[in-house]
Amino acid sequence: MRYSSEHKQQTREKLLATSGALAKRGGFTSTGVAGLMKAIGLTGGAFYNHFPSKDDLFTEVVRQELCNSPLARLASQGASRERLGRCLQQYLSMAHLHNAEGGCPLPPLGVEIARADLAVREVAEHWLVELHKAWAATLEDEALAWVLISQCVGALLVGRMLASQAVQSQVLDASRTFVEKALNETR
């Protein structure tokens, strides 16, 4: 039975969304094609109607997740320094720390992106360079933009590595204080 191109596109979008959520929750490489397809109610064989390989799916997952992240939306809207500060305070929150599936893809997928094929790393690099350009323009400081990107992603990653909520809070509190101080001192 042939499906319409609209149905095929809807299935592809569902596969991308589900794969992104699964990857951020438990890792992309740990979930096989059969598991990804089962999550959307299809058989593993149907996967190849949508992507030539699992690596191609990961490239698209990374592209979609990065482009749909709150940081990307903030960068594309040309945020003020104050708005950037508010966004980073939300980014460095316990709510975000405990929502890996619905949050920024960099902390949960960063290691997998680093180990991935060149195509995946190029997608991530393109996005990070664009994010950096936007933040550097807002901050009028290229180095500070890289430092804040690294600080925020790193703080979330370290926080998720910790077992106790008290220590997680300490990491996030320290990072929020650092970000606020950095934003206020460079005016």
Side-chain angles (χ1 to χ4, degrees), residues 72-151:
R73 287 192 297 275
L74 180 71
S76 69
Q77 296 167 354
S80 67
R81 183 181 283 261
E82 290 74 24
R83 187 159 180 233
L84 176 60
R86 285 191 307 273
C87 179
L88 296 182
Q89 295 298 316
Q90 290 173 348
Y91 187 94
L92 294 167
S93 70
M94 289 298 282
H96 188 207
L97 184 134
H98 292 296
N99 184 19
E101 193 173 314
C104 177
L106 291 176
L109 296 180
V111 170
E112 289 188 86
I113 292 169
R115 292 180 182 150
D117 290 343
L118 181 61
V120 174
R121 294 192 326 270
E122 287 173 341
V123 165
E125 179 180 318
H126 173 77
W127 182 83
L128 281 165
V129 167
E130 292 301 312
L131 179 67
H132 171 262
K133 283 182 195 174
W135 287 19
T138 298
L139 300 168
E140 298 175 349
D141 188 329
E142 290 192 19
L144 181 59
W146 281 126
V147 168
L148 291 180
I149 291 167
S150 301
Q151 174 65 37

Side-chain angles (χ1 to χ4, degrees), residues 3-180:
Y3 290 104
S4 69
S5 59
E6 182 179 311
H7 179 268
K8 186 174 179 179
Q9 183 61 31
Q10 289 171 344
T11 301
R12 178 184 169 91
E13 289 170 13
K14 189 175 178 183
L15 177 58
L16 277 167
T18 302
S19 297
L22 288 171
K24 290 191 295 184
R25 182 178 43 210
F28 186 78
T29 56
S30 65
T31 306
V33 167
L36 294 170
M37 295 305 284
K38 183 178 179 184
I40 64 168
L42 297 173
T43 64
F47 173 85
Y48 297 99
N49 292 328
H50 304 283
F51 294 95
S53 70
K54 191 176 173 193
D55 288 340
D56 290 318
L57 170 61
F58 189 51
T59 301
E60 288 306 310
V61 163
V62 168
R63 181 184 334 276
Q64 181 171 307
E65 288 293 329
L66 290 174
C67 291
N68 293 327
S69 75
L71 297 180
R73 287 192 297 275
L74 180 71
S76 69
Q77 296 167 354
S80 67
R81 183 181 283 261
E82 290 74 24
R83 187 159 180 233
L84 176 60
R86 285 191 307 273
C87 179
L88 296 182
Q89 295 298 316
Q90 290 173 348
Y91 187 94
L92 294 167
S93 70
M94 289 298 282
H96 188 207
L97 184 134
H98 292 296
N99 184 19
E101 193 173 314
C104 177
L106 291 176
L109 296 180
V111 170
E112 289 188 86
I113 292 169
R115 292 180 182 150
D117 290 343
L118 181 61
V120 174
R121 294 192 326 270
E122 287 173 341
V123 165
E125 179 180 318
H126 173 77
W127 182 83
L128 281 165
V129 167
E130 292 301 312
L131 179 67
H132 171 262
K133 283 182 195 174
W135 287 19
T138 298
L139 300 168
E140 298 175 349
D141 188 329
E142 290 192 19
L144 181 59
W146 281 126
V147 168
L148 291 180
I149 291 167
S150 301
Q151 174 65 37
C152 291
V153 172
L156 215 56
L157 175 61
V158 169
R160 287 180 180 158
M161 292 168 49
L162 301 170
S164 82
Q165 196 160 338
V167 181
Q168 289 173 332
S169 288
Q170 289 175 5
V171 169
L172 295 180
D173 290 345
S175 295
R176 282 192 306 271
T177 299
F178 173 82
V179 166
E180 186 175 331

